Amino acid sequence: MWSYDKILQYPIKIKTPNPGLATKIISQYGGPDGELAASLRYLSQRFSMVTPEAIATLNDIGTEELAHLEMIGTMVHQLMKNATVEEIESSGAGAYYTDHGRGVYPQAASGTPFTAAFLQVKGDPIVDLTEDLAAEQKARGTYEWLINQTDDPDVLEPLKFLREREVVHYQRFGEALRKVQDYLQEPRLFIMPKPDFLRSNELNR
Amino acid sequence: MINNRRLDEMYYSNPEACIPQELVIENVRLAAAYVPYQFMCEVFSPIESLAAGTAFPELFSPYNRKDNENRPCRLSEC
């Protein structure tokens, strides 16, 4: 169950439309290393995770990724909404406009639609957390390549915020992995002393 | 190792300082990944945290477009 706050995690107020940039930023919405894939990955892996700390980490970060999804959708919307068709065409966003107009559709920058093939749930806690560490690094890398492609501070500031969140999430998944490693290495041999009523039976025999 | 040495200089010279992370990881096994635990020390104010993207100064690592640093080094430079 979730509760929703009608507020973005970080404010987004883009004054200058830039449809070309919108069709690149869309990759963090529905692309291979995007926020939708991240959210579904963590929220799905949660069910087979072990230790309360690691389960809570997946739940919390999976939830935060939904807030990031909303931020990215807002950015794409604001970059597209006041652009003229001529601006859309000349900026190279014509292909996107043909299929989705000024809407926000979960796809990669390349145009590949979102697919669950972007993520994995192996059901093994070490495997899943190791994938999550990689996913955070890939998302950080994507944000850096996006930051390289714009000078608009209205776009840069939210992108930098989201990039730093990936760094923090990496640390948290790393700590969750440590907890899980320790838990899986704990000895699980329990020695139960034989109860007295069983012992007396042995003596009587 | 390099990072630990830098942290040593930062914190061991002042034994009172709060060290925001584990410095030595014990009982490491082969073929496993380890990230040091972070410990709670100083935090940014709420507005600074929003601007930085984290409440933790030790986790704040801004990106400054050093794209070219990732290219492979040429034989003459290595």
Side-chain angles (χ1 to χ4, degrees):
Chain A
M1 169 121 175
W2 271 267
S3 65
Y4 179 76
D5 287 322
K6 201 173 161 75
I7 183 178
L8 290 176
Q9 194 187 6
Y10 186 96
I12 294 169
K13 289 189 178 67
I14 300 169
K15 295 180 272 298
T16 320
N18 188 340
L21 186 59
T23 61
K24 296 174 181 93
I25 290 180
I26 196 72
S27 226
Q28 286 298 56
Y29 196 82
D33 306 314
E35 302 290 356
L36 182 58
S39 185
L40 287 179
R41 176 185 295 116
Y42 306 151
L43 293 177
S44 302
Q45 289 178 353
R46 175 186 64 161
F47 295 104
S48 49
M49 188 45 63
V50 293
T51 82
E53 294 90 345
I55 293 166
T57 302
L58 286 169
N59 202 41
D60 289 356
I61 298 180
T63 301
E64 190 184 339
E65 304 293 10
L66 287 173
H68 294 173
L69 183 76
E70 188 183 30
M71 282 178 65
I72 293 291
T74 305
M75 291 175 80
V76 171
H77 169 65
Q78 293 186 5
L79 286 166
M80 291 291 273
K81 72 173 171 185
N82 289 324
T84 64
V85 176
E86 290 71 33
E87 283 170 337
I88 288 172
E89 274 194 293
S90 63
S91 68
Y96 184 89
Y97 177 77
T98 303
D99 288 330
H100 312 295
R102 292 184 184 81
V104 177
Y105 178 75
Q107 68 166 43
S110 64
T112 314
F114 178 80
T115 158
F118 291 153
L119 57 105
Q120 176 59 294
V121 179
K122 192 54 84 178
D124 174 310
I126 300 281
V127 174
D128 285 348
L129 286 172
T130 306
E131 160 162 332
D132 301 343
L133 289 169
E136 294 296 334
Q137 291 297 344
K138 290 187 285 180
R140 178 184 62 81
T142 309
Y143 279 119
E144 292 180 4
W145 301 160
L146 286 173
I147 287 167
N148 288 350
Q149 295 179 75
T150 180
D151 290 315
D152 183 351
D154 295 344
V155 178
L156 274 177
E157 287 311 311
L159 287 180
K160 286 186 195 163
F161 173 88
L162 290 166
R163 178 196 163 278
E164 177 63 31
R165 296 310 300 152
E166 310 297 344
V167 177
V168 176
H169 292 167
Y170 186 91
Q171 175 65 28
R172 298 293 163 254
F173 280 131
E175 288 163 352
L177 179 61
R178 292 283 300 278
K179 291 265 183 199
V180 168
Q181 285 165 338
D182 286 350
Y183 170 76
L184 294 177
Q185 282 162 29
E186 269 172 23
R188 275 189 200 71
L189 175 62
F190 299 102
I191 297 165
M192 304 270 290
K194 200 168 193 176
D196 282 342
F197 69 92
L198 285 178
R199 282 174 199 266
S200 59
N201 270 357
E202 269 172 17
L203 288 174
N204 290 343
R205 205 172 283 158
Chain B
M1 201 64 181
I2 293 161
N3 273 339
N4 272 357
R5 199 171 301 138
R6 191 173 63 83
L7 287 164
D8 286 355
E9 285 165 15
M10 278 166 70
Y11 297 108
Y12 286 165
S13 55
N14 179 8
E16 298 287 298
C18 177
I19 303 173
Q21 68 166 84
E22 182 184 24
L23 292 176
V24 176
I25 301 174
E26 282 167 355
N27 299 325
V28 290
R29 291 152 62 107
L30 290 174
Y34 299 90
V35 167
Y37 282 114
Q38 185 187 355
F39 302 129
M40 186 86 170
C41 288
E42 294 277 299
V43 291
F44 288 136
S45 71
I47 194 70
E48 285 174 318
S49 304
L50 186 64
T54 176
F56 305 106
E58 63 274 13
L59 266 179
F60 181 47
S61 59
Y63 170 63
N64 36 19
R65 287 206 207 188
K66 292 180 194 160
D67 192 15
N68 289 334
E69 280 189 5
N70 283 338
R71 70 185 159 79
C73 69
R74 296 196 182 81
L75 208 56
S76 57
E77 300 168 339
C78 297

